[in-house]
Amino acid sequence: MEPLTDMTHPGITAYVTRMWCTILDLDAVGPDDSFFDLGGTSFQLLMVKDRLDTELGITTELTSFFRHPTVAELADYLYGKTR
């Protein structure tokens, strides 16, 4: 997967979408799809968290992913943390 280079809100949203497709082995993920409803496991969630923390240069709390379970909600949260 290509590194995150676009730190705008649309760039973060697109990155989260691509990451979920890769980690969950899906062809497409919509902005309102929930990670857990798509079949995401706790191990896959840890992979997402680790990759996002590394790419964005931030530290997220694991509970953030339960509070923001969709692509759109998570992207909003992450964009706010990078500003």
Side-chain angles (χ1 to χ4, degrees):
M1 195 171 136
E2 295 180 27
L4 176 63
T5 56
D6 180 0
M7 296 295 281
T8 64
H9 189 280
I12 292 172
T13 301
Y15 185 78
V16 170
T17 300
R18 286 191 312 273
M19 182 190 313
W20 285 17
C21 285
T22 299
I23 289 176
L24 298 174
D25 195 28
L26 298 172
D27 293 329
V29 173
D32 297 319
D33 288 337
S34 168
F35 183 82
F36 305 104
D37 290 344
L38 293 171
T41 66
S42 56
F43 178 72
Q44 289 169 317
L45 180 63
L46 291 172
M47 292 170 52
V48 168
K49 180 192 179 318
D50 182 59
R51 195 173 290 178
L52 286 172
D53 286 357
T54 300
E55 288 292 324
L56 295 172
I58 60 174
T59 302
T60 55
E61 295 180 20
L62 196 53
T63 56
S64 304
F65 296 90
F66 292 95
R67 282 189 224 124
H68 311 286
T70 68
V71 170
E73 291 172 355
L74 184 59
D76 287 346
Y77 167 74
L78 294 170
Y79 182 69
K81 293 239 349 150
T82 62
R83 297 191 51 82

